[in-house]
C-alpha cells in the first residue's frame, strides 16, 4: 500500500492505493468509499481483493484529509467533487466503486454529476431519509440523538444512535415512548468529554441524510448502479432507505451478507462478515444481480 495526498484549493485529500493500477487483468481501480468512515474502515474488505488495485480515501475534514475551505459541514455534492478529482488524479479511466452509507450518497451524487467516472457502482445502504414513508418521524429520531449529544455528550448520544439504527420498521409512538438507552449497555462511556464535532451526532452531516438522488440523471448515466442491502438490516433505518432507493431507481436491491457494517473486520466492535461480503461484491461487480 502507498499513501498519497491530492491537493486541491479546498482540501488536502489523503488516499491509499493497494496494488498498482490497473489490475493484472486490465480491470480499472476499485474505489471503496464511505462517509464518515475513513479509509482504514475498508482494510478488511480490501484485503480480500489482492488481485485488484484498490483505492480508499479519507473524506474531506475526516481523518487525514485536512479542509482548507473554512467549513465543517459535509455536503454530498462537495464530497462528490473530491472523488471526481481523485479519479482524475489516478489517470486510470473510469473506475468500479463500492460505496457504503454516506459514501453511497456521495457516489450517487458523483454519478449524477460526472457520469463518465464510474462503470459499476455498488451503493450499499445509502441513508436517504426523504425517501422513507415515515421521513418526518425518522428526522425526529435523528434530532433526538443530536439533542442528547449537545446536552450530554458522545456516549449518551451514541447509545441513542445505535438504538435508532437498530430499530425495526417505521418509527412509531412506541419508539419515542421508550427510555433513553444506557450507554454502558453498548459499551459506551457515560462521561462527557466535551467534544461536539462528531459527524454522526452533530448537525454537520445533515445534508447527507437529506440528499435527494437525481433519478433521471442516474438513469441517463452509462454507469451500472446497483443498490445493496444487508440481509440482517432490511427492516432497519438504512436497510429501509436502501430498499426505497432501489425502488426509486426501478430495481430490486442486491442482498449482501451481514448488516450495515457487513464488510468490517473483527478488529471492530461492529464486525461483519468481510470474506463473505467480498465474495458477494465480486459477484455483483462481475454482473450478477
Amino acid at each position: 500500500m502507498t499513501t498519497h495526498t491530492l491537493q486541491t484549493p479546498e482540501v488536502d485529500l489523503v488516499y491509499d492505493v493497494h496494488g498498482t493500477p490497473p489490475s493484472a487483468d486490465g480491470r480499472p481501480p476499485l474505489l471503496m468509499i464511505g462517509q464518515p468512515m475513513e479509509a482504514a474502515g475498508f482494510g478488511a474488505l480490501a484485503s480480500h481483493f489482492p488481485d485488484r488495485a484498490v483505492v480508499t480515501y479519507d473524506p474531506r475534514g475526516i481523518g487525514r484529509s485536512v479542509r482548507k475551505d473554512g467549513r465543517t459541514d459535509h455536503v454530498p455534492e462537495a464530497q462528490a467533487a473530491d472523488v471526481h478529482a481523485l479519479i482524475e488524479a489516478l489517470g486510470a479511466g473510469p473506475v468500479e466503486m463500492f460505496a457504503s452509507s454516506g459514501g453511497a450518497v456521495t457516489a450517487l451524487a458523483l454519478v449524477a454529476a460526472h457520469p463518465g467516472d464510474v462503470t459499476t457502482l455498488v451503493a450499499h445502504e445509502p441513508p436517504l431519509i426523504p425517501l422513507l414513508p415515515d421521513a418526518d418521524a425518522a428526522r425526529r429520531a435523528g434530532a433526538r440523538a443530536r439533542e442528547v449529544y449537545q446536552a450530554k455528550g458522545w456516549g449518551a448520544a451514541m447509545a441513542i444512535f445505535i438504538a435508532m439504527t437498530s430499530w425495526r420498521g417505521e418509527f412509531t409512538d412506541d419508539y419515542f415512548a421508550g427510555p433513553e438507552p444506557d450507554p454502558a449497555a453498548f459499551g459506551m462511556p457515560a462521561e462527557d468529554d466535551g467534544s461536539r464535532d462528531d459527524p454522526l451526532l452533530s448537525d454537520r452531516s445533515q445534508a447527507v441524510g437529506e440528499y435527494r438522488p437525481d433519478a433521471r440523471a442516474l438513469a441517463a448515466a452509462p454507469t451500472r448502479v446497483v443498490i445493496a442491502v444487508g440481509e440482517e438490516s432490511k427492516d432497519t433505518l438504512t436497510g429501509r432507505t436502501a430498499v426505497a432507493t432501489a425502488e426509486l431507481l426501478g430495481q430490486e436491491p442486491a442482498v449482501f451478507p451481514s448488516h450495515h457494517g457487513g464488510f468490517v473486520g473483527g478488529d471492530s466492535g461492529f464486525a461483519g462478515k468481510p470474506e463473505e461480503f467480498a465474495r458477494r461484491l465480486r459477484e455483483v461487480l462481475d454482473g450478477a444481480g
Side-chain angles (χ1 to χ4, degrees), residues 15-73:
Y15 64 98
D16 301 319
V17 179
H18 307 251
T20 303
S23 301
D25 60 0
R27 294 182 72 161
L30 171 58
L31 264 65
M32 298 179 179
I33 70 172
Q35 167 66 33
M37 179 174 280
E38 304 171 20
F42 293 101
L45 183 59
S47 72
H48 291 288
F49 287 84
D51 56 320
R52 297 290 305 270
V54 176
V55 179
T56 57
Y57 89 123
D58 292 352
R60 69 163 64 187
I62 295 175
R64 302 162 295 173
S65 292
V66 179
R67 301 183 76 148
K68 300 181 289 189
D69 60 354
R71 298 176 62 162
T72 60
D73 57 336

Side-chain angles (χ1 to χ4, degrees), residues 106-122:
T106 297
L108 292 171
L110 170 69
V111 171
H114 303 283
D117 280 1
V118 183
T119 57
T120 296
L121 164 63
V122 180

Side-chain angles (χ1 to χ4, degrees), residues 142-153:
R144 182 185 185 190
R146 292 192 298 275
E147 289 165 1
V148 170
Y149 183 52
Q150 292 302 318
K152 300 181 180 180

